[in-house]
Amino acid sequence: MKLAFSTLGVPGLPISEVVRLAAEHGYQGVELRAHPEEPVHPGLSMLERADVVEEFKRGGIEILTVAGYVRAASEGEDQPVLDELAGLVELARDLGARNVRVFPGGGDQGPDAADATAARRLAAAAPYAADMGVRILLETHDSHRAGAAVARVVGTVGHGSIGALWDIMHTWLAGEEPVASHAVLAPHLGYVQVKDIASAEDTEPLALGAGVLPLRACLDTLDADSWVCWEYEKRWHPEAADLPGLLSAGREHLLRLGAPKQ
């Protein structure tokens, strides 16, 4: 199992410090939140992008994903969404990241229309992503919380450059068992986001193992070489404990849960 953490857990932290944290705490990769309030976003110049690449190369840490905020299923014209998605794909290409994360965001229309919109846009973006050597991953989130919902869209697209990102909190909130989520997502799965929370009503981030999410049941479904990323939502919960002090224990917890069963 290869471990990463998301910079959503260390909002605004300079890239040099992100790399240092990953290296010191034994994480092989980082998921970079791509937003203007963060050090990495599509507005970076080519020189700035090269500096980011050099920082990660120097630390021996992989950039797993550029985590953007495109809403693939949202109502409206396709072209602005496709333009934003192309910018994220280009950023990922320039940084050497293998993935771009997108959200469904289809709650402003009916399920069938949202599915069709997302599938159409992702299909349109797929050839360019393939040319750039990047995979676009649709996350289990918001209007498409369940693995079955994301698999329905990604399966309709049917292109190797379009895949799925399994956020275990959202499939759990959707009432989907981990084995069921994995069964439908496995043909498309890029990697898994883990986290922990106290309850469905209290989603403030907790240390891994301190909450109710079925971490072991999810990890039990994965291949040994799977990527697992800890998405600690500090940005949305500033009162939560700081992530750096939790990283080592979180790594050890995941490795214990993911160890081969005797």
Side-chain angles (χ1 to χ4, degrees):
M1 186 167 55
K2 293 170 286 190
L3 300 181
F5 66 84
S6 168
T7 55
L8 189 65
V10 285
L13 193 69
I15 289 300
S16 60
E17 289 299 297
V18 170
V19 172
R20 181 187 63 78
L21 283 176
E24 287 185 357
H25 295 281
Y27 288 76
Q28 291 84 31
V30 170
E31 179 188 276
L32 288 174
R33 178 178 182 246
H35 189 279
E37 66 186 23
E38 299 291 345
V40 175
H41 53 81
L44 294 187
S45 68
M46 289 306 297
L47 181 59
E48 289 169 326
R49 296 176 189 213
D51 288 343
V52 172
V53 171
E54 183 56 33
E55 287 281 4
F56 276 90
K57 182 178 179 181
R58 188 181 302 122
I61 303 300
E62 181 170 339
I63 301 175
L64 177 61
T65 300
V66 169
Y69 287 88
V70 167
R71 285 163 170 76
S74 61
E75 197 171 29
E77 296 297 319
D78 286 356
Q79 198 57 51
V81 176
L82 293 174
D83 290 346
E84 185 180 358
L85 187 48
L88 289 167
V89 167
E90 290 159 8
L91 177 61
R93 184 270 317 271
D94 293 341
L95 298 181
R98 63 178 70 194
N99 304 303
V100 162
R101 186 281 304 279
V102 301
F103 286 144
D108 52 6
Q109 52 187 322
D112 290 345
D115 283 1
T117 299
R120 181 179 67 249
R121 289 170 177 166
L122 292 173
Y128 188 57
D131 288 345
M132 298 294 103
V134 173
R135 198 170 189 215
I136 299 169
L137 302 180
L138 181 64
E139 183 174 327
T140 55
H141 197 273
D142 57 83
S143 61
H144 291 63
R145 267 185 163 162
V150 163
R152 193 169 60 233
V153 172
V154 175
T156 297
V157 177
H159 193 290
S161 290
I162 305 299
L165 172 52
W166 180 10
D167 181 324
I168 71 167
M169 181 183 76
H170 286 282
T171 55
W172 181 79
L173 289 171
E176 198 173 56
E177 292 294 329
V179 290
S181 299
H182 182 262
V184 293
L185 292 173
H188 319 289
L189 190 59
Y191 64 99
V192 175
Q193 283 180 345
V194 296
K195 59 191 69 173
D196 222 341
I197 58 173
S199 69
E201 295 73 35
D202 181 2
T203 59
E204 180 176 322
L206 299 176
L208 294 177
V212 298
L213 292 184
L215 298 175
R216 182 185 293 277
C218 293
L219 295 181
D220 279 348
T221 68
L222 303 181
D223 296 333
D225 62 348
S226 297
W227 275 98
V228 173
C229 178
W230 186 4
E231 188 190 46
Y232 186 81
E233 297 185 338
K234 174 72 171 179
R235 174 61 183 85
W236 313 128
H237 298 272
E239 70 284 358
D242 291 338
L243 178 62
L246 305 175
L247 282 171
S248 288
R251 173 183 177 272
E252 294 304 317
H253 186 70
L254 291 173
L255 292 177
R256 282 195 303 271
L257 294 182
K261 306 302 179 289
Q262 301 300 320

